Amino acid sequence: MAPPAAAELTLTNTRSLAFGAFAPGNSSGSAILTPGSTRTCLGTVTCIGSTYHSASFLLEGEPASSYSLHLPEEAIMTNENNDTLLVDDLTHNAPGALDSTGTQTFNVGATLHISGSQPAGSYSGNIEITVEYE
């Protein structure tokens, strides 16, 4: 007799990644947002405002099970005029195991690359995350 199948893994985005407002300088730079929601601007980019945060996810599945999490190498964000921004160096703070109730909350941060001539606007995009039991 085969063992019972593990519960299906379900991943729900509970908060979107938000780099907040920034001012590009005369050359390129970047904004780094950690899974713990710490933001740093490098190069000629200046961070402004205080509304920024990492993305947050709820993972549900078989209690006390191990899982692996795979993030893409990069993603493209676009604004209403189809201007683009590159996001890479995606990182997470997922521990790799569901708790005794079969849930786990984790956060994702990334690096946003900004050119000196970056058009203003509100940029958005999607990041594909793959989760599987180990």
Side-chain angles (χ1 to χ4, degrees):
M1 185 171 205
E8 182 177 336
L9 285 167
T10 304
L11 184 63
T12 305
N13 179 233
T14 58
R15 182 179 69 198
S16 295
L17 184 66
F19 284 94
F22 53 84
N26 56 3
S27 63
S28 61
S30 58
I32 301 168
L33 189 58
T34 68
S37 292
T38 299
R39 181 178 68 166
T40 305
C41 286
L42 302 172
T44 62
V45 174
T46 302
C47 292
I48 21 183
S50 59
T51 305
Y52 55 88
H53 48 75
S54 59
S56 187
F57 296 87
L58 173 64
L59 179 62
E60 299 175 281
E62 189 69 29
S65 294
S66 295
Y67 62 88
S68 59
L69 181 70
H70 306 281
L71 299 171
E73 289 186 24
E74 63 183 33
I76 300 295
M77 298 175 65
T78 58
N79 68 6
E80 59 279 358
N81 296 320
N82 287 324
D83 299 311
T84 61
L85 284 168
L86 173 68
V87 176
D88 64 6
D89 295 329
L90 287 97
T91 58
H92 64 82
N93 62 1
L98 297 171
D99 66 17
S100 62
T101 66
T103 62
Q104 184 63 64
T105 300
F106 66 90
N107 300 320
V108 173
T111 299
L112 179 68
H113 297 277
I114 306 148
S115 73
S117 60
Q118 192 68 50
S122 178
Y123 291 76
S124 63
N126 294 310
I127 298 170
E128 186 174 320
I129 299 175
T130 304
V131 183
E132 58 192 11
Y133 287 113
E134 290 190 326

